[in-house]
Amino acid sequence: MDREEILAKSRKENDLSDERTKYIGLKGANFAITILIPLWVVLSRLAPLEDTADYTMGLLVTTTCFANFVYQFRYNRTKTVIFFTVLFFLMAVFYLVLFLKFVLHVF
């Protein structure tokens, strides 16, 4: 094997490793959101939170989910990704309005 063949093989192996790393990262983000949403629902329903904490937590969760699906939408425009991108965008706007109105008293 000459030098060029070794370098080509190394580049190919590194590309596969980079793709695997991206894939694992995306699966990890999806798993985290799968845990985050039910935890948010349980905490917001069972824990005696004030409205301000509830709106703040809702804004944080929905914005995080929206950011994840916007990233996925950039690379993968399936119906599921489009649906959840729009859904979490609408929910994030809803909680942003509640947050601005009741926490920061903007409206």
Side-chain angles (χ1 to χ4, degrees):
M1 232 191 240
D2 69 345
R3 181 173 187 240
E4 292 303 317
E5 289 176 357
I6 293 171
L7 288 174
K9 184 178 179 181
S10 175
R11 274 187 234 113
K12 185 177 179 180
E13 289 173 357
N14 286 340
D15 285 345
L16 292 175
S17 175
D18 290 344
E19 288 298 319
R20 183 173 186 272
T21 301
K22 288 179 187 177
Y23 176 77
I24 290 170
L26 189 56
K27 294 299 274 186
N30 283 336
F31 179 74
I33 284 180
T34 303
I35 300 300
L36 180 66
I37 293 171
L39 184 62
W40 168 52
V41 170
V42 168
L43 288 176
S44 64
R45 299 300 170 244
L46 297 180
L49 299 174
E50 293 181 17
D51 288 344
T52 56
D54 196 29
Y55 301 149
T56 304
M57 191 168 56
L59 179 61
L60 179 65
V61 169
T62 57
T63 305
T64 302
C65 294
F66 173 66
N68 179 18
F69 281 102
V70 165
Y71 180 82
Q72 288 185 47
F73 179 76
R74 183 174 174 205
Y75 298 103
N76 184 14
R77 291 192 167 107
T78 63
K79 290 178 184 177
T80 304
V81 171
I82 293 169
F83 173 77
F84 282 111
T85 302
V86 171
L87 176 69
F88 283 116
F89 172 74
L90 294 173
M91 290 177 66
V93 168
F94 173 75
Y95 277 103
L96 177 62
V97 169
L98 290 175
F99 179 80
L100 291 174
K101 185 174 182 179
F102 295 109
V103 178
L104 299 181
H105 307 290
V106 172
F107 300 117

